[in-house]
């Protein structure tokens, strides 16, 4: 390596390092803050080609090379630079290949070596720039053009990206492998650089760009959809402001109802308890214990009501005697006639005045109050009906006396 | 075959139950269910079960949302869906205004759609700091759909979000956090609006563009 070249390179890096802060300020804000630097420093930077002044009345800007270096290194998503100038690079490569072949032909191996390394440098930089272009596009897709705020700006950026993709694809079409292969001939080194490397890069890039293009289109579709939705909302709000009484025609009256409005109402309600499922026994018992509690409170309520109505104790006692007498008559009647008669039948026959339910209770109670030897003569069985709602419960409708 | 859940019910059964109880299934509201319904075979199975009840599996928003629809429409069914339509038509304005409010409060120019997260506390801060938004919220929260009686931004917002969750427009994945995620039912609202727009020839988008166009030269 040339000694001078190395020195100059190091000097440039040192210069950049010295002015790092001002240069970064210029990168972020677009212009160099000239008040922070003296004219000598500015001159040094201008001489090094790091900054430039577009015209006399404008500020100092970063050179495009330095800017793109920073964008690349910082993965700055604002990077819009896409180099689609494949044509001229290709021409350079072709020219270098011709130089190389000529050098080989005349046997100047040293020159051939230089041309070859130049050639591979160019070829690599071409493939690298192709890959860089698709990377830039991807990063823009992946953040969904988040570096511009509004949907319309995103749509414009997307359209720009699509244009860049088609330009890239067009220039990739310039890389004709038949020609490249002809140029390379049977020289192994040339084939490796021109055909193998380049063709692989172009193939990868074309594939990737096709994917990029679809993604861009999908994204554009979504942006437009969102913009449409946004406008719909705004429009509806405006419309309602102008027509507060507006109510849309009912589309469900048409024969062919749009599926959008054909929505069946909720149908399911909770499932019922299955008392025969042994797995649920525990849970059911738990709920049952809660049920009982509620029943108790109910019963106690009716008791207090009764307590109020039981005030005339003597009257009640007299009546009790009378009802007991009636029951006795009933039971005796049945035994004497030896014919079956239910308690209610007797009740109706005798036109008794008691409450029918109290009557049945009294019959049942009196029977069980009898001494055992008397009770053995006959049996008293309830006539029952199943409860209409609570399965398993039975209601005593009447009582039947049987002679044993 | 569909796998069994913790209660022993198959995925088919679970989804049938959800559909028959009037739920909308999308990727946000029920991710497993949505993936289940993404399979053609499963959709057919669900549909054949629903067939018995004069119902079918319907989808909206380009397959992002599933719900239960009537198979055949008789007089009764017409009555039911007609009532549903008047309900949804009645809640369009409150929903629209809410969507605009939350879009503006988030400082975005794209409206809320399925999967977008809304942070109640952030919205609250913005609304409280912006008198115009505060007024708008007070108006929105009093619509019958939301029915808030609160005079505070905090109470109004919470009531609005509660009602939106009940109606299935938002879900709250973590009960301890005030983060809500929009379901595809929000997108459904847009379909309804654009249906009405087309059916009635309202030209809503054009109106909005005209309004924006009138504003721009002033700026």
């Amino acid at each position: 390596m040339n000694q001078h070249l190395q020195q100059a390179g190091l000097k440039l890096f040192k210069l950049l390092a010295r002015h790092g802060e001002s240069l970064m300020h210029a990168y972020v804000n677009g212009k160099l803050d000239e008040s922070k630097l003296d004219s000598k420093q500015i001159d040094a930077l201008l001489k090094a080609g790091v900054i430039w002044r577009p015209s006399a009345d404008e500020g100092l800007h970063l050179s495009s090379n330095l800017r793109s270096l920073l964008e690349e290194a910082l993965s700055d998503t604002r990077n819009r630079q896409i180099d689609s100038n494949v044509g001229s690079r290709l021409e350079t490569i072709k020219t270098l290949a011709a130089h190389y072949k000529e050098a080989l032909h005349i046997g100047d191996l040293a020159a051939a070596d230089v041309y070859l390394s130049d050639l591979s440098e160019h070829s690599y930089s071409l493939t690298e720039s192709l890959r860089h272009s698709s990377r830039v596009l991807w990063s823009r897709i992946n953040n969904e053009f988040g570096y511009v705020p509004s949907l319309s700006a995103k749509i414009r950026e997307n359209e720009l990206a699509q244009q860049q993709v088609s330009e890239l694809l067009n220039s990739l079409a310039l890389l004709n492998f038949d020609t490249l292969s002809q140029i390379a001939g049977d020289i192994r080194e040339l084939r490796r650089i021109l055909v193998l490397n380049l063709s692989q890069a172009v193939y990868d890039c074309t594939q990737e760009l096709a994917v990029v293009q679809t993604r861009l289109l999908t994204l554009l579709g979504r942006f437009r959809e969102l913009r449409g939705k946004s406008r719909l909302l705004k429009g509806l709000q405006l419309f309602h402001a102008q027509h507060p009484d507006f109510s849309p025609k009912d589309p469900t009256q048409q024969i062919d109802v749009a599926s959008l409005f054909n929505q069946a109402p909720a149908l399911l309600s909770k499932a019922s308890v299955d008392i025969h499922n042994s797995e649920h026994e525990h849970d059911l018992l738990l709920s049952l214990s809660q049920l009982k509690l509620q029943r108790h409170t109910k019963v106690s309520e009716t008791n207090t009501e009764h307590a109020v109505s039981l005030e005339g104790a003597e009257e009640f006692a007299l009546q009790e005697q009378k009802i007991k007498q009636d029951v006795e008559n009933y039971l005796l009647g049945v035994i004497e006639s030896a014919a079956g008669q239910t308690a209610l039948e007797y009740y109706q026959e005798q036109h008794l005045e008691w409450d029918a339910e109290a009557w049945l209770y009294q019959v049942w109670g009196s029977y069980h109050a009898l001494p055992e030897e008397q009770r053995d003569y006959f049996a008293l069985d309830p006539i029952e009906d199943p409860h209409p709602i609570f399965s398993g419960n039975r209601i005593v409708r009447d009582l039947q006396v049987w002679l044993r | 075959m569909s796998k069994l859940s913790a209660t022993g019910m198959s995925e088919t059964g679970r989804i049938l139950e959800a559909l028959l109880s009037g739920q909308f299934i999308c990727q946000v509201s029920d991710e497993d269910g949505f993936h289940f319904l993404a399979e053609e075979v499963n959709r057919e199975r669900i549909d054949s079960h629903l067939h018995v009840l004069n119902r079918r599996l319907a989808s909206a928003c380009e397959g992002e949302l599933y719900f239960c629809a009537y198979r055949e429409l008789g007089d009764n069914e017409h009555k039911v869906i007609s009532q549903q339509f008047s309900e949804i038509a009645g809640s369009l304005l409150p929903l629209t205004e809410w969507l605009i409010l939350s879009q503006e409060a988030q400082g975005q120019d794209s409206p809320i759609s399925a999967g977008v997260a809304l942070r109640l506390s952030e919205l609250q801060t913005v609304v409280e700091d912006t008198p115009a938004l505060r007024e708008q919220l007070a108006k929105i929260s009093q619509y019958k759909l939301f029915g808030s009686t609160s005079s505070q931004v905090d109470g109004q917002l919470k009531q609005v979000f509660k009602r939106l969750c009940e109606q299935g427009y938002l879900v709250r994945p973590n009960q301890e956090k005030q983060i809500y995620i929009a379901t595809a039912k929000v997108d459904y609202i847009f379909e309804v609006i654009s249906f009405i727009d087309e059916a009635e020839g309202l030209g809503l988008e054009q109106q909005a563009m005209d309004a924006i166009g009138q504003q721009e030269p002033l700026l």
Side-chain angles (χ1 to χ4, degrees):
Chain A
M1 177 60 76
N2 191 327
Q3 192 64 25
H4 285 300
L5 210 57
Q6 188 157 6
Q7 287 293 334
L10 283 174
K11 218 172 131 189
L12 178 67
F13 273 119
K14 277 179 191 157
L15 181 77
L16 289 176
R18 256 203 314 279
H19 299 294
E21 212 165 306
S22 321
L23 291 174
M24 256 334 272
H25 179 269
Y27 176 70
V28 176
N29 297 297
K31 266 185 211 165
L32 198 71
D33 187 2
E34 290 179 55
S35 60
K36 293 240 174 89
L37 298 168
D38 57 39
S39 59
K40 227 168 141 190
Q41 287 171 320
I42 290 176
D43 274 350
L45 285 171
L46 275 171
K47 221 170 149 191
V50 182
I51 54 172
W52 65 298
R53 196 187 294 276
S55 63
D57 54 350
E58 291 226 24
L60 287 162
H61 295 254
L62 285 195
S63 75
S64 64
N65 286 339
L66 184 58
R67 179 168 283 279
S68 60
L69 175 71
L70 281 171
E71 278 170 350
E72 178 67 11
L74 302 173
S75 319
D76 191 333
T77 48
R78 288 179 301 173
N79 188 356
R80 296 188 178 84
Q81 208 67 43
I82 282 181
D83 188 1
S84 57
N85 190 8
V86 177
S88 72
R89 283 167 181 248
L90 190 66
E91 284 309 313
T92 318
I93 289 173
K94 279 183 187 164
T95 316
L96 281 170
H99 291 345
Y100 174 69
K101 280 207 295 199
E102 194 188 58
L104 272 188
H105 190 70
I106 58 169
D108 187 353
L109 288 183
D113 254 6
V114 172
Y115 287 135
L116 190 66
S117 74
D118 234 14
L119 191 58
S120 49
E121 180 67 38
H122 269 88
S123 149
Y124 279 125
S125 93
L126 175 59
T127 54
E128 182 49 38
S129 103
L130 287 176
R131 295 209 171 99
H132 174 248
S133 301
S134 35
R135 265 206 305 278
V136 168
L137 284 166
W138 272 120
S139 78
R140 277 147 77 179
I141 288 175
N142 286 338
N143 77 11
E144 301 192 346
F145 302 95
Y147 49 88
V148 283
S150 75
L151 266 180
S152 306
K154 282 180 193 197
I155 291 173
R156 281 194 295 274
E157 283 286 327
N158 187 305
E159 282 162 352
L160 168 71
Q162 292 204 32
Q163 202 185 327
Q164 287 171 335
V165 169
S166 24
E167 270 170 26
L168 259 180
L169 282 173
N170 284 342
S171 54
L172 279 180
L174 289 175
L175 284 167
N176 185 333
F177 285 102
D178 290 341
T179 345
L180 284 178
S181 172
Q182 264 174 21
I183 296 170
D186 52 0
I187 306 165
R188 202 167 58 89
E189 288 299 313
L190 270 187
R191 286 197 79 85
R192 183 175 62 79
I193 294 171
L194 294 184
V195 184
L196 267 169
N197 278 356
L198 271 181
S199 77
Q200 189 60 41
V202 168
Y203 176 77
D204 287 351
C205 201
T206 324
Q207 294 277 313
E208 203 160 328
L209 284 176
V211 186
V212 164
Q213 215 163 21
T214 13
R215 285 288 288 274
L216 280 173
L217 279 173
T218 330
L219 210 56
L220 184 66
R222 232 195 53 222
F223 289 154
R224 291 205 169 128
E225 192 192 315
L226 285 176
R227 191 170 63 176
K229 280 180 170 180
S230 199
R231 285 181 181 160
L232 265 186
L233 282 184
K234 197 81 205 144
L236 187 68
Q237 197 189 27
L238 286 170
F239 184 80
H240 260 288
Q242 287 161 13
H243 310 87
D245 299 327
F246 170 75
S247 69
K249 261 204 299 286
D250 189 349
T252 62
Q253 293 310 316
Q254 292 157 6
I255 301 160
D256 194 15
V257 176
S259 170
L260 201 59
F261 299 110
N262 179 355
Q263 188 193 335
L267 182 71
L268 274 189
S269 57
K270 302 282 176 268
S272 301
V273 171
D274 174 11
I275 54 164
H276 297 297
N277 189 338
S278 54
E279 280 178 31
H280 294 167
E281 203 173 296
H282 181 69
D283 298 324
L284 289 178
L285 279 175
L286 260 178
S287 7
L288 192 65
S289 61
Q290 286 165 347
L291 262 183
K292 266 191 174 168
L293 270 177
Q294 289 176 340
R295 285 244 167 129
H296 275 307
T297 53
K298 252 195 169 170
V299 168
S300 66
E301 269 172 29
T302 51
N303 270 356
T304 50
E305 277 173 26
H306 259 282
V308 177
S309 67
L310 279 176
E311 266 179 350
E314 283 174 19
E315 240 177 87
F316 190 79
L318 274 174
Q319 283 184 340
E320 205 176 32
Q321 286 304 321
K322 232 182 149 195
I323 195 173
K324 267 187 182 166
Q325 193 60 47
D326 282 337
V327 170
E328 215 163 280
N329 290 341
Y330 162 59
L331 292 178
L332 286 173
V334 171
I335 296 165
E336 276 167 19
S337 67
Q341 191 179 28
T342 70
L344 282 184
E345 274 166 18
Y346 179 82
Y347 172 84
Q348 274 157 14
E349 203 180 279
Q350 300 291 319
H351 303 294
L352 296 176
E353 289 164 3
W354 316 112
D355 180 62
E357 201 175 335
W359 166 249
L360 288 178
Y361 272 114
Q362 191 60 44
V363 173
W364 183 255
S366 300
Y367 171 76
H368 284 281
L370 288 173
E372 209 167 313
E373 58 266 28
Q374 287 181 25
R375 206 167 42 198
D376 281 347
Y377 291 118
F378 56 95
L380 188 108
D381 285 327
I383 299 168
E384 300 167 324
D385 285 338
H387 191 282
I389 299 169
F390 300 110
S391 56
N393 288 358
R394 305 180 79 79
I395 297 170
V396 175
R397 189 164 50 81
D398 202 350
L399 297 166
Q400 173 78 53
V401 180
W402 313 90
L403 282 182
R404 284 190 197 253
Chain B
M1 274 310 287
S2 52
K3 56 181 189 288
L4 293 181
S5 71
T7 54
M9 185 152 54
S10 69
E11 191 70 355
T12 316
R14 190 179 71 78
I15 288 164
L16 271 178
E17 192 177 7
L19 287 171
L20 285 175
S21 51
Q23 285 177 30
F24 281 61
I25 294 180
C26 73
Q27 192 157 12
V28 178
S29 68
D30 180 355
E31 193 168 355
D32 291 343
F34 181 77
H35 287 306
F36 181 82
L37 288 174
E39 305 273 330
E40 170 100 36
V41 195
N42 295 335
R43 279 205 304 273
E44 277 169 14
R45 188 183 306 152
I46 295 276
D47 202 52
S48 69
H49 282 297
L50 292 174
H51 196 289
V52 192
L53 299 162
N54 183 27
R55 275 154 173 79
R56 64 182 172 84
L57 183 68
S59 74
C61 308
E62 289 160 5
E64 290 298 315
L65 186 68
Y66 294 100
F67 58 94
C68 180
Y70 284 123
R71 189 170 294 273
E72 304 282 337
L73 290 172
D75 286 350
N76 282 336
E77 286 80 6
H78 265 294
K79 239 178 255 167
V80 173
I81 57 175
S82 166
Q83 200 206 330
Q84 277 175 351
F85 175 75
S86 64
E87 262 169 43
I88 191 135
S91 54
L92 274 188
L93 184 63
L95 286 171
T96 306
E97 294 197 350
W98 173 74
L99 283 168
I100 293 177
L101 172 80
S102 25
Q103 180 186 327
E104 280 174 2
Q106 289 199 313
Q108 283 170 354
D109 64 350
S110 53
I112 290 160
S113 58
V116 169
L118 293 166
R119 288 176 178 75
L120 192 96
S121 53
E122 281 178 17
L123 276 182
Q124 191 180 333
T125 321
V126 178
V127 172
E128 273 171 349
D129 291 348
T130 323
L133 293 182
R134 219 161 48 210
E135 236 170 72
Q136 220 173 320
L137 175 69
K139 181 181 156 210
I140 292 171
S141 67
Q142 277 167 14
Y143 280 116
K144 214 175 100 202
L145 180 70
F146 300 125
S148 164
T149 50
S150 171
S151 59
Q152 300 296 312
V153 169
D154 176 51
Q156 288 167 347
L157 263 186
K158 281 197 177 134
Q159 172 69 13
V160 168
F161 273 71
K162 192 176 139 239
R163 292 287 297 145
L164 287 166
C165 283
E166 284 167 8
Q167 307 251 330
Y169 294 110
L170 296 178
V171 289
R172 190 176 171 187
N174 185 345
Q175 287 305 314
E176 283 160 28
K177 290 201 172 128
Q178 296 276 18
I179 298 175
Y180 297 80
I181 302 188
T183 67
K185 212 176 166 187
V186 172
D187 295 333
Y188 175 81
I189 287 299
F190 284 104
E191 287 212 347
V192 172
I193 298 176
S194 89
F195 181 92
I196 293 175
D197 182 25
E198 268 175 45
E200 309 264 334
L202 302 180
L204 294 179
E205 284 196 45
Q206 192 56 46
Q207 274 201 20
M209 270 160 70
D210 290 349
I212 297 164
Q214 279 165 7
Q215 279 170 8
E216 265 173 2
L218 296 175
L219 293 174

